[in-house]
Amino acid sequence: LLVSTVFMHLLLYILLLISFCIRLLSLSFFFFFFLMIRRPPRSTLSSSSAASDVYKRQVSTQSTGDTPDPMVQLICSVAEAIPTTGFSSWLTIWLAYAGFGYVMLTGSSLAAFIYLYCYPTYNKWKYKSNPKYPTATYVMGEVLLGGILGPLVVAFAPSIHLYLIADGHYKHHCDTPQSWSYKLLSAFLVVLITDFYEWGWHFLGHYIGALWSVHKHHHKYFNPTPFGTIADYPADNFMRSLYFMIVNGVAYGTMGIHLDLDMIYIVTAFLTVGWGMYLHCGHEISWIPYDNRYFNTSFQHYAHHAVSSKNTPYHTGFFVKLWDNMAGSVYTGDKVLPAIEQQKRGIRTRAEWDKVKSTIPNYSVLLSPSFWIKHLHEAPL
């Protein structure tokens, strides 16, 4: 038994290490373009592509003795590396972007799920918002919508945008000041505008009948796991993936400027992966107050899944809590309690853990194709 336990823990750490290495390699790939693709191929310098124009401006400023841009736009440089030959080029961008989503989101969700749900302990469980563990078929639904279908859907609209940048139609989106101050301004506005859009679309999804008929499927996952971050129907995920249009539209409409593309894509991606997984992991973090005044927490998002319904939205905000405070959609009831409060009331004892431990499903069945074939109709979709 001891050898088996040691082996399983060793396997867990190996899987976590592999997941970390894959994400690190993925990030290194993008930073490689950031550092190395400072000049587009000579064969493309006469084209109307965005990165070619950036390079031409740099050459022009160097020839006149002016100071060149201190940094290169990562997104435009990556787009330039892909030849624009029509449908096949767009398909390449779409699949590459979706692949990045599989690595960053599905891979991270898998690592977090293995750590929290496949190897639960009393110390982990006592911070789990819902003391019960979801069934394997329940998790199957989250994996299918959020881990398998989700990345393909959320990559669709951005891939079209990136293709139009690459072929020159939206090259003006690359024509932004390349300075740290502008990047920081862009990052701040990206978080603010994107989060308000996320909150607004989510809030309306609980009030408008047609939108609720789509969004209600996400609320079948009342006891969320990390796979639930984008476990939505395609229509919902598609609308949320339009952040690049919303951000640039609002910024240009109100201030007459386009925001830095790197900040639009990278900040949004890491916010979705990092904070989105925290909100859906089903566990609270002891040093983050569950009723934080400024940010929505994992317990509050669990309450959103467990209590919200049509016409009764709670905590529809993603990151910033300001929008829910303004709308009066902060949950203050006691139908569900945070794990920390349950600990104070003596509910999360080791005796209770011993009872729960015997009911935890064997999630390894999710690795079996025959299990999927036999039980897919039982998954909440």
Side-chain angles (χ1 to χ4, degrees):
L1 180 61
L2 178 60
V3 173
S4 176
T5 302
V6 171
F7 173 77
M8 294 305 293
H9 278 80
L10 181 61
L11 179 62
L12 169 64
Y13 293 136
I14 291 174
L15 288 172
L16 291 174
L17 179 61
I18 292 173
S19 175
F20 174 77
C21 290
I22 291 175
R23 282 178 282 163
L24 185 61
L25 287 172
S26 180
L27 289 175
S28 299
F29 168 78
F30 281 92
F31 279 112
F32 167 78
F33 279 108
F34 180 70
L35 294 174
M36 299 301 294
I37 306 181
R38 304 185 65 85
R39 171 176 178 165
R42 292 182 182 274
S43 60
T44 64
L45 290 181
S46 60
S47 71
S48 60
S49 65
S52 296
D53 287 354
V54 171
Y55 175 69
K56 289 175 182 177
R57 289 198 302 273
Q58 291 177 341
V59 172
S60 176
T61 54
Q62 290 172 356
S63 64
T64 58
D66 296 333
T67 303
D69 289 342
M71 55 187 70
V72 174
Q73 292 157 303
L74 172 61
I75 297 298
C76 292
S77 297
V78 171
E80 172 64 17
I82 301 176
T84 54
T85 57
F87 177 78
S88 61
S89 295
W90 165 76
L91 185 63
T92 300
I93 296 174
W94 179 37
L95 295 178
Y97 198 93
F100 182 72
Y102 284 123
V103 171
M104 292 299 295
L105 184 56
T106 306
S108 299
S109 299
L110 176 61
F113 181 82
I114 291 173
Y115 176 73
L116 293 172
Y117 290 82
C118 296
Y119 294 92
T121 65
Y122 170 70
N123 287 329
K124 296 174 188 176
W125 171 78
K126 70 179 183 180
Y127 289 105
K128 189 177 183 305
S129 298
N130 188 324
K132 297 181 180 179
Y133 285 80
T135 65
T137 52
Y138 172 104
V139 177
M140 183 192 298
E142 284 188 321
V143 172
L144 185 60
L145 286 182
I148 298 175
L149 184 60
L152 283 171
V153 176
V154 299
F156 183 79
S159 68
I160 297 175
H161 182 227
L162 294 176
Y163 178 80
L164 293 175
I165 291 172
D167 77 352
H169 282 85
Y170 282 172
K171 63 183 180 181
H172 57 284
H173 287 185
C174 294
D175 193 14
T176 55
Q178 290 303 291
S179 64
W180 285 114
S181 59
Y182 197 80
K183 286 185 178 292
L184 290 174
L185 172 64
S186 297
F188 173 77
L189 292 176
V190 165
V191 172
L192 196 67
I193 298 171
T194 301
D195 200 68
F196 180 77
Y197 171 64
E198 287 273 0
W199 168 81
W201 176 256
H202 197 173
F203 191 85
L204 292 176
H206 283 264
Y207 272 107
I208 299 176
L211 299 183
W212 173 248
S213 67
V214 175
H215 181 64
K216 67 181 182 181
H217 297 279
H218 185 63
H219 281 263
K220 292 181 179 180
Y221 308 115
F222 57 90
N223 187 6
T225 76
F227 289 113
T229 305
I230 56 171
D232 295 273
Y233 265 31
D236 241 352
N237 274 333
F238 176 78
M239 289 302 298
R240 288 200 175 98
S241 72
L242 300 179
Y243 57 86
F244 62 92
M245 291 178 55
I246 302 300
V247 167
N248 256 334
V250 171
Y252 191 78
T254 58
M255 295 173 282
I257 61 173
H258 291 292
L259 299 183
D260 185 89
L261 275 180
D262 290 350
M263 296 299 101
I264 291 177
Y265 278 93
I266 296 174
V267 170
T268 305
F270 279 90
L271 191 64
T272 300
V273 173
W275 201 259
M277 278 187 51
Y278 160 66
L279 292 182
H280 291 86
C281 72
H283 292 69
E284 301 160 27
I285 298 178
S286 59
W287 46 270
I288 298 181
Y290 67 86
D291 56 351
N292 189 286
R293 294 176 58 186
Y294 307 106
F295 307 107
N296 280 298
T297 64
S298 61
F299 164 72
Q300 289 171 333
H301 200 75
Y302 160 67
H304 167 78
H305 276 253
V307 180
S308 295
S309 186
K310 189 176 186 297
N311 298 325
T312 57
Y314 295 106
H315 298 284
T316 56
F318 190 77
F319 186 59
V320 180
K321 198 174 178 179
L322 173 64
W323 324 123
D324 285 307
N325 285 329
M326 293 173 59
S329 53
V330 174
Y331 181 70
T332 57
D334 58 1
K335 185 176 180 179
V336 292
L337 295 174
I340 293 177
E341 288 299 319
Q342 294 183 43
Q343 292 175 31
K344 293 178 181 178
R345 300 186 183 191
I347 300 175
R348 295 300 181 97
T349 62
R350 286 193 174 272
E352 287 298 317
W353 163 243
D354 289 337
K355 295 178 184 177
V356 171
K357 185 168 59 173
S358 62
T359 66
I360 298 176
N362 175 20
Y363 295 115
S364 65
V365 296
L366 291 170
L367 299 175
S368 170
S370 61
F371 179 82
W372 280 71
I373 295 172
K374 183 178 180 180
H375 297 280
L376 182 59
H377 69 281
E378 302 173 16
L381 296 171

